[in-house]
């Protein structure tokens, strides 16, 4: 339910990965990831194709102008349906979705994957549990050629020089296609479709190779802008500036703050200044993270992602700068809440503890809003959905050991005098005793 920062090294490249939840109720974790990444891999389940969550997240990716690669996974599942999945991809992403790979005999007897960029087949050997690179079988040649020609045309469309080459030669070689695909991804003019059977490792190595060679890196994309519109290039020789996009709290350790190096180079023991409150912050140690496993590093350079522990006065959406640098990067815009409920403690003596824990949880997931209503005398929780708030309650009950219950929010009934009015009335009472008249 929370995003995880990971990294790997593949063929002399370091690749940072932010693994985000798929459910719409945890969209805040995805949006925060969009602000730290240069590209996205949209995983699509080959059994169900494009789902509601896929559509919602693709809209957010469009808003953030994030290049996307579409990876169809679980092609070895008995209920996989690649053709139907591809149809749903075309329906939602249009002609920009271009097949780079397609499976051969998808399902429990998956034979492998045909790559129409390399024009090779990645064949799965069940006996050895490994993938071999072989020539495309004769019965797949015409299908592969058709997809290859479509990919060549799509690659050429994204680069004028390549288009001229294409008209001259009526084809492009592998390096030229790769250049066109990279240009197309960068401008969101092309969404390459890849195939995976992740648990068997089918397609994974080839995907990593493609990420290294084609997926835009920090050096390839448009430079980020500060709040006053100044473009800051990812330059390791520039002044040091860090933007914090995620906070997490671990028992016995405390707050872990995740950052992106926006400019310059950050080293152990460096003193930086918070652009929000002008307070000094010392990064005594810096880490690279693979889930809960953290490794100390002496330095990180522009474009890289890292983590720091127990910062005194730095929170999500804040910028730390070196010396007199005054960069301040725009805050992450989280979606508005869609669901609300009231919460109360079963033991009144734990009310203060509840407030502290809710504040901490709000730092971890800013899509959760906490409202202390004096009028209703209730604590109102706002979130993206019932499941999100149920998980919050589970955390309070089981991790923080604060017994709570959800109750219905009260309604603040009010009467408002909106305008003046006049009326005439005659009072007349004549029965019994002295009469009344007015």
């Amino acid at each position: 339910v929370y995003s995880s920062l990971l990294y790997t090294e593949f063929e002399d490249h370091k690749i940072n990965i932010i693994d985000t939840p798929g459910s719409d109720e945890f969209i805040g974790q995805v949006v925060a990831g969009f602000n730290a990444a240069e590209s996205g891999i949209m995983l699509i389940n080959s059994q169900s194709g494009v789902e509601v969550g896929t559509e919602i997240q693709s809209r957010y990716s469009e808003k953030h102008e994030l290049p996307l690669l579409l990876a169809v996974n679980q092609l070895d599942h008995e209920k996989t349906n690649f053709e139907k999945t591809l149809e749903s991809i075309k329906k939602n992403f249009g002609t920009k979705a271009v097949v780079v790979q397609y499976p051969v005999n998808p399902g429990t007897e998956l034979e492998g994957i045909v790559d129409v960029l390399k024009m090779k087949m990645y064949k799965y050997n069940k006996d050895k549990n490994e993938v071999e690179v072989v020539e495309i079988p004769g019965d797949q040649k015409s299908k592969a050629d058709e997809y290859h020609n479509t990919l060549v045309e799509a690659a050429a469309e994204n680069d004028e020089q390549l288009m001229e080459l294409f008209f001259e030669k009526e084809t492009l070689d592998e390096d030229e296609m790769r250049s066109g695909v990279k240009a197309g991804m960068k401008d969101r003019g092309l969404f390459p479709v890849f195939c995976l059977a992740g648990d068997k490792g089918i397609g994974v190595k080839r995907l990593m190779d493609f990420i290294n060679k084609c997926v835009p890196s920090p050096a390839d994309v448009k430079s980020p802008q500060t709040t006053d519109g100044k473009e800051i290039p990812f330059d390791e020789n520039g002044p040091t500036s860090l933007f914090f996009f995620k906070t997490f709290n671990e028992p016995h350790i405390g707050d872990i703050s995740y950052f992106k190096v926006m400019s310059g180079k950050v080293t152990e023991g460096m003193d930086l200044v918070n652009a929000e409150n002008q307070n000094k912050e010392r990064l005594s140690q810096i880490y690279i993270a693979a889930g809960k496993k953290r490794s100390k590093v002496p330095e990180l350079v522009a474009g890289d992602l890292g983590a720091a522990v127990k910062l005194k006065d730095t929170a999500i959406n804040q910028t730390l700068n070196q010396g007199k640098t005054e960069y301040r990067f725009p805050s992450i815009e989280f979606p508005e809440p869609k669901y609300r409920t009231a919460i109360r403690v079963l033991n009144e003596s734990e009310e203060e503890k509840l407030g502290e824990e809710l504040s901490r949880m709000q730092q971890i997931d800013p899509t959760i809003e906490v409202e202390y209503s004096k009028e209703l005398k209730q604590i109102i929780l706002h979130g993206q959905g019932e499941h999100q708030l149920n998980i919050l309650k589970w955390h309070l009950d089981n991790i923080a050991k604060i017994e709570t219950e959800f109750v219905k929010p009260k309604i603040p009934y009010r009467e408002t005098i909106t305008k003046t009015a006049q009326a005439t009335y005659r009072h007349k009472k004549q029965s019994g005793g002295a009469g009344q008249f007015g």
Side-chain angles (χ1 to χ4, degrees), residues 377-431:
K377 296 180 180 178
Q378 284 186 316
I379 299 173
I380 311 293
L381 297 180
H382 302 262
Q384 296 299 306
E386 187 177 5
H387 184 45
Q388 181 193 31
L389 297 185
N390 281 338
I391 287 176
L392 170 62
K393 184 181 183 305
W394 181 91
H395 176 91
L396 293 170
D397 294 346
N398 295 276
I399 306 298
K401 304 297 182 185
I402 306 170
E403 288 190 48
T404 61
E405 68 173 355
F406 285 152
V407 292
K408 288 184 178 180
K410 295 175 185 175
I411 297 172
Y413 290 110
R414 297 185 182 97
E415 294 289 350
T416 304
I417 297 171
T418 58
K419 61 183 179 181
T420 58
Q422 289 184 336
T424 303
Y425 166 66
R426 174 178 289 194
H427 179 69
K428 189 177 180 182
K429 184 181 178 186
Q430 297 294 337
S431 57

Side-chain angles (χ1 to χ4, degrees), residues 11-42:
E11 295 179 355
D12 298 326
H13 287 75
K14 183 190 176 196
I15 301 170
N16 288 307
I17 304 163
I18 304 172
D19 181 24
T20 59
S23 169
D24 180 37
E25 294 194 22
F26 305 100
I27 190 69
Q29 301 291 307
V30 183
V31 172
F34 283 166
N35 281 262
E38 278 72 46
S39 306
I41 297 177
M42 180 76 79

Side-chain angles (χ1 to χ4, degrees), residues 94-356:
T95 55
K96 291 181 180 181
V98 181
V99 172
V100 176
Q101 295 179 334
Y102 70 88
V104 178
N105 197 21
T108 53
E109 299 300 318
L110 177 68
E111 291 180 37
I113 291 164
V114 171
D115 190 303
V116 300
L117 195 157
K118 284 188 166 289
M119 287 306 281
K120 296 286 183 183
M121 178 172 171
Y122 292 81
K123 188 175 182 180
Y124 178 57
N125 188 326
K126 276 188 177 181
D127 298 331
K128 295 182 181 178
N129 194 29
E130 63 182 22
V131 180
E132 303 170 275
V133 182
V134 299
E135 295 300 320
I136 297 172
D139 62 340
Q140 295 294 324
K141 200 74 175 71
S142 61
K143 186 176 182 180
D145 285 340
E146 188 180 333
Y147 278 132
H148 176 81
N149 293 335
T150 304
L151 180 61
V152 168
E153 289 176 20
E157 283 174 5
N158 291 285
D159 188 306
E160 286 185 16
Q161 290 181 333
L162 289 178
M163 183 63 84
E164 289 174 12
L165 269 175
F166 176 66
F167 285 137
E168 279 179 34
K169 304 190 300 182
E170 295 187 354
T171 188
L172 297 174
D173 63 31
E174 190 179 320
D175 288 336
E176 290 163 349
M177 286 171 66
R178 197 178 284 122
S179 173
V181 169
K182 187 172 184 176
M185 282 195 71
K186 182 180 171 183
D187 297 330
R188 282 182 57 89
L190 191 152
F191 304 125
V193 177
F194 274 71
C195 294
L196 297 167
D199 62 338
K200 290 186 172 68
I202 302 174
V204 175
K205 188 177 179 183
R206 170 65 181 121
L207 178 63
M208 299 295 287
D209 177 61
F210 183 84
I211 290 170
N212 271 352
K213 292 175 180 174
C214 293
V215 172
S217 73
D220 299 318
V221 297
K222 186 180 176 182
S223 298
Q225 290 189 342
T226 58
T227 51
D228 56 4
K230 184 179 179 181
E231 285 195 1
I232 308 299
F234 286 113
D235 178 9
E236 65 178 89
N237 298 314
T240 302
S241 185
L242 313 179
F243 177 74
F244 288 79
F245 65 91
K246 174 179 166 66
T247 300
F248 198 74
N249 184 276
E250 278 189 26
H252 315 301
I253 294 175
D255 287 340
I256 302 164
S257 303
Y258 296 87
F259 60 82
K260 181 171 188 171
V261 186
M262 306 300 284
S263 172
K265 187 184 293 183
V266 61
T267 57
E268 279 186 309
M270 201 173 205
D271 288 323
L272 300 172
V273 177
N274 192 315
E276 197 74 32
N277 49 39
Q278 302 307 308
N279 292 338
K280 284 190 177 180
E281 193 80 76
R282 170 162 286 191
L283 276 71
S284 54
Q285 295 175 329
I286 54 176
Y287 300 88
I288 51 175
K292 288 188 177 181
K293 183 182 176 183
R294 289 177 298 278
S295 305
K296 274 176 57 178
V297 289
E299 67 175 29
L300 291 170
V301 299
D304 213 343
L305 305 181
V309 177
K310 295 179 181 177
L311 296 182
K312 291 187 299 180
D313 200 20
T314 301
I316 188 172
N317 275 335
Q318 293 184 347
T319 306
L320 291 184
N321 293 315
Q322 181 184 31
K324 295 181 180 179
T325 307
E326 296 183 351
Y327 298 159
R328 184 182 292 179
F329 294 94
S331 296
I332 301 164
E333 292 182 18
F334 292 101
E336 293 294 320
K338 305 169 188 169
Y339 185 87
R340 69 194 284 267
T341 187
I343 189 170
R344 70 180 186 90
V345 287
L346 299 184
N347 184 347
E348 288 185 8
S349 64
E350 293 185 319
E351 279 190 359
E352 188 176 338
K353 189 180 175 184
L354 174 65
E356 290 172 359

